[in-house]
Amino acid sequence: MHIERHTKSLHRVLAGALLALGTFGSLGTAVAAEPAAQKIRVRGTVVALAGEQLQVKAREGNTVNIALKPGWSVAAVAKASVNDIKQGDYVGIASLPRSEGGDGALEVLIFPPQMKGLGEGSFGWDLKPNSSMTNATVADAVKSVQGSVVTVSYHGQDKKISIQQDTPVVTLAPATAEDLKPGAVVFVSAEKAAGGAISSSQVIVGKNGVVPPM
C-alpha cells in the first residue's frame, strides 16, 4: 500500500515537474478568460512546513511563503551519472551556449519512460542568465574522456549538448512531506497571483545528499 501511494505521488509530481520544465501553453486556452497567474520557480532551502504552508529561504536571500494546493505532491532527486544517459531516454537538460558552438549542459534530469513527450521543447530558463531548458529524447550519445555529447530531438529538431563528467545528473524518486524539513534544498514550480500570493502543487526536494540542480 505504501509503495502504491508513493508511486502515484511520484507520477503526479513527475507530471508537474515536466510542466515546470516545459511550456504552460497547453493551459492557456482553458484559463484565457481569467487573469493569468505568473509562473515562477523558487529555489532555496526549507525554513518550515506548517500544514499546507511551505516557507522557503530563496537563493536570492528573500523568504517565500508558498501555499500548497490540495493534493500537492513531493518527489526527491536521486543521483545518476552521464553513463546512465542512453539512446531513447527522455531528458530535461539546462544548458548554456558555448563559444565553440553548441550548448554545454548545466544539469541533466532523466525522466522515467512513462513521462516521455510531456513538456517537450526548448525554451528560456532561469537557472543562469541566457540558459535554456530542453525536454527531448536522446537520439544518440557519444562518450569521450572529457564527457559526452548528446544529440536530443524535439518536434522534429535536433540539438547537440555537451555534458562534462562533473555535470550534475539526477533522476526522480519517491519522497514524503517529512522530507521537507528545515534546511532541505527544494525546487518549486509555483504560480504568483496578481495579489502576490504564491501557490504550488508540486515540490522537488533534495535527499540523501543529492540536491535539485535544476
Side-chain angles (χ1 to χ4, degrees), residues 180-197:
L180 298 177
K181 51 193 174 186
V185 181
V186 291
F187 170 85
V188 186
S189 171
E191 299 176 356
K192 187 174 183 179

Side-chain angles (χ1 to χ4, degrees), residues 137-210:
T137 300
V138 177
D140 61 55
V142 179
K143 295 181 176 17
S144 67
V145 175
Q146 292 77 24
S148 299
V149 175
V150 299
T151 301
V152 293
S153 298
Y154 58 94
H155 300 315
Q157 302 182 57
D158 289 341
K159 183 176 183 177
K160 291 186 180 295
I161 304 177
S162 173
I163 305 173
Q164 300 303 306
Q165 288 289 354
D166 58 352
T167 301
V169 181
V170 298
T171 187
L172 295 178
T176 68
E178 284 71 29
D179 294 308
L180 298 177
K181 51 193 174 186
V185 181
V186 291
F187 170 85
V188 186
S189 171
E191 299 176 356
K192 187 174 183 179
I198 297 174
S199 61
S200 179
S201 59
Q202 65 271 326
V203 180
I204 298 178
V205 62
K207 193 175 179 180
N208 299 324
V210 184

Side-chain angles (χ1 to χ4, degrees), residues 18 80-93 108-117 120 134-141 143 150-154 163 169-171:
L18 275 169
S81 75
V82 173
N83 295 329
D84 294 321
I85 302 170
K86 59 185 183 301
Q87 184 177 4
D89 280 348
Y90 192 64
V91 296
I93 306 179
V108 182
L109 177 59
I110 304 173
F111 291 105
Q114 62 268 30
M115 297 293 108
K116 188 171 184 177
E120 182 176 356
T134 303
N135 290 338
T137 300
V138 177
D140 61 55
K143 295 181 176 17
V150 299
T151 301
V152 293
S153 298
Y154 58 94
I163 305 173
V169 181
V170 298
T171 187

Side-chain angles (χ1 to χ4, degrees), residues 8 14 35 50 94 98 181:
K8 289 180 179 178
L14 283 171
R98 299 192 307 165
K181 51 193 174 186

Side-chain angles (χ1 to χ4, degrees), residues 111-135:
F111 291 105
Q114 62 268 30
M115 297 293 108
K116 188 171 184 177
L118 189 60
E120 182 176 356
S122 188
F123 34 83
W125 195 240
D126 59 356
L127 181 58
K128 288 187 176 182
N130 301 318
S131 63
S132 62
M133 173 61 71
T134 303
N135 290 338

